[in-house]
Amino acid sequence: MTRRYDVVVAGAGMAGVLTALGLAGHGVRVLLVEPHGVGAGQSGQSHGYLHRGYAYGRTEPLLPPLLGRARVHWDTLLRDTPPVTSNSVVSFSDPGAARGATEFWRSCGLPVSAVEAPDWLGGGFASCFRSEEATHDFGPVLRHLGTRIASCGVDLNAGTLTGFSEEPGSVYCEFERPDGTGLTVRSRAVVVAAGAGTPGILARSGLPPVVRCRKSFVLVLRGDLPVISAVFPASTEHGLFLASRTGHESGTTWLVSDFQSFDSAWGASGQLPGWWAHRILLTLRRIISPERLAGVATVSGYAAVKSGLVPSSGTVSHGLGHDFLGGRAIVASPSKLTLAPLAAERAMRSVARILKFPFDGAAWDPVPAGTARGAEGIRPGEKWETGLDAVKDPDLASGPPDIAELSRLFSR
């Protein structure tokens, strides 16, 4: 029997969960479909920066005002939830890049505060700034929002959106359950918030592959490490994001990602994670003091496939959302977790137009205090898409293996 709902939301990351909760608050009958569990994807495993724009520059002029709008929502949602770190250090090795960045920050209304280089930072940096960006462990936050899902009337079903067809006034959505059986749901609208987890659906949306299928990587280091968050923006060198997690039995966890993403529309070479990890390790050796890196006990990582922002595009490529299928299907693609509330609000606005109910903006109740207490960060089981024998036990203090081939590939 075909089930009936007002709206189907595919994907239980931050954008999907906020969309489902917001619509349920307007009395909408919502089915939320997720193959692995609330927050099991990139939202729950992100580095957790609530960006304000410090990591970007003149090539992305629309980002700071968008991030500022999103911050209003986060200030409410996380009002009672302490961050892992309350600010970040932004460091530059190039004085010219530092001057250009500070001019851009001031032009965007971002506070500019120079600070002394912290003791964990390696040599060679011309200047450091305090960014006032917080980092959070969003895994516990999403797990709490999952309990709200269960109590506010949203149906949560395990499955993957595999296809849909348009009928007069409705959409028939097809899902595949984890056991391989199918499910058909009739709804008045569908919101695709599955990142790049539904490539066939996204291909029908009309979005170009560079927007809908991007792959990046996150390196996970654990051991006797300080709790820090840092951004190393660079236009001619390799820039990094570094954010801590606490509470794991082996000590502090560092999540390290960079500014690179790769077109994954046609898959990726199995060697790509290894090349990327070597590059990250080489950069860490240059920017973090050897004494700190000597505290690293284990190294692992994972791939993140996502849709969203086109790098150096000068704009958010599709305005946080994209309607298709006669306006009854909406892609909610925030590109960055920070922008998830705006993507959810954009999706809700489209649904309100279809269902014809008044909508004057989204609002969500705060996550209660204590939600993140005892968080373990990224849990055991991180894995690469391929073996990484060369970096299983790297000597970070003396440097990773030679990566001349990696440098050649990344310079293309």
Side-chain angles (χ1 to χ4, degrees):
M1 181 179 294
T2 300
R3 303 183 187 181
R4 295 173 182 262
Y5 291 89
D6 292 323
V7 180
V8 169
V9 178
M14 190 63 74
V17 166
L18 291 180
T19 300
L21 286 171
L23 291 174
H26 284 80
V28 177
R29 295 172 299 163
V30 180
L31 171 65
L32 178 62
V33 181
E34 162 62 43
H36 305 297
V38 174
Q42 183 58 15
S43 288
Q45 293 189 336
S46 70
H47 51 48
Y49 271 97
L50 289 184
H51 288 296
R52 295 194 60 196
Y54 289 94
Y56 306 96
R58 300 179 189 278
T59 58
E60 302 291 354
L62 296 184
L63 268 178
L66 280 172
L67 295 169
R69 284 173 48 200
R71 188 186 186 194
V72 175
H73 290 293
W74 289 118
D75 284 347
T76 299
L77 271 164
L78 301 178
R79 181 183 65 200
D80 302 322
T81 305
V84 178
T85 57
S86 59
N87 46 49
S88 299
V89 174
V90 186
S91 298
F92 295 88
S93 57
D94 178 4
R99 286 193 297 270
T102 55
E103 291 173 3
F104 176 71
W105 298 340
R106 289 192 176 100
S107 71
C108 297
L110 295 174
V112 179
S113 176
V115 295
E116 293 294 324
D119 60 5
W120 47 261
L121 192 63
F125 283 89
S127 51
C128 298
F129 299 88
R130 187 72 64 192
S131 77
E132 300 188 7
E133 291 176 333
T135 63
H136 286 261
D137 184 350
F138 279 99
V141 171
L142 278 155
R143 287 192 286 275
H144 167 76
L145 294 177
T147 64
R148 288 191 187 175
I149 287 289
S151 63
C152 72
V154 173
D155 284 350
L156 178 61
N157 234 299
T160 302
L161 179 64
T162 57
F164 48 59
S165 59
E166 184 182 9
E167 299 289 340
S170 62
V171 180
Y172 282 89
C173 301
E174 299 170 4
F175 301 93
E176 182 176 314
R177 294 187 176 101
D179 63 3
T181 60
L183 171 68
T184 301
V185 173
R186 183 179 180 181
S187 65
R188 298 170 66 186
V190 57
V191 176
V192 182
T198 54
I201 302 300
L202 291 174
R204 292 183 58 187
S205 72
L207 292 171
V210 72
V211 175
R212 67 177 188 259
C213 292
R214 305 295 295 171
K215 176 173 285 187
S216 61
F217 299 100
V218 177
L219 195 67
V220 180
L221 289 76
R222 283 198 171 104
D224 182 16
L225 299 168
V227 178
I228 62 176
S229 59
V231 179
F232 306 94
S235 57
T236 58
E237 302 176 56
H238 189 204
L240 297 180
F241 299 104
L242 193 160
S244 289
R245 295 289 179 269
T246 59
H248 191 270
E249 60 184 11
S250 64
T252 300
T253 296
W254 281 3
L255 303 182
V256 190
S257 60
D258 62 7
F259 291 81
Q260 298 287 343
S261 60
F262 309 92
D263 183 2
S264 64
W266 303 104
S269 166
Q271 292 177 298
L272 183 57
W275 292 330
W276 177 88
H278 289 170
R279 177 181 165 113
I280 287 286
L281 293 175
L282 185 63
T283 304
L284 280 173
R285 176 172 174 257
R286 181 176 61 81
I287 63 181
I288 303 294
S289 68
E291 294 79 12
R292 295 299 187 182
L293 289 180
V296 175
T298 61
V299 177
S300 59
Y302 54 90
V305 181
K306 56 190 178 182
S307 62
L309 189 72
V310 178
S312 301
S313 64
T315 182
V316 175
S317 58
H318 50 285
L320 301 169
H322 176 74
D323 296 355
F324 66 109
L325 205 70
R328 292 192 175 273
I330 303 102
V331 178
S333 181
S335 75
K336 301 183 184 307
L337 184 140
T338 314
L339 298 173
L342 300 187
E345 187 174 55
R346 162 69 168 78
M348 292 168 62
R349 195 176 303 280
S350 291
V351 170
R353 185 178 65 251
I354 297 167
L355 271 57
K356 295 181 172 53
F357 66 82
F359 180 77
D360 57 3
W364 296 276
D365 293 333
V367 174
T371 295
R373 190 173 300 160
E376 296 183 354
I378 302 298
R379 292 184 290 277
E382 303 95 357
K383 60 183 179 180
W384 299 96
E385 63 177 11
T386 186
L388 285 180
D389 293 339
V391 294
K392 278 184 178 177
D393 296 298
D395 182 352
L396 289 174
S398 61
D402 177 76
I403 55 168
E405 175 65 9
L406 172 66
S407 298
R408 184 184 68 81
L409 289 166
F410 274 81
S411 66
R412 290 179 179 176

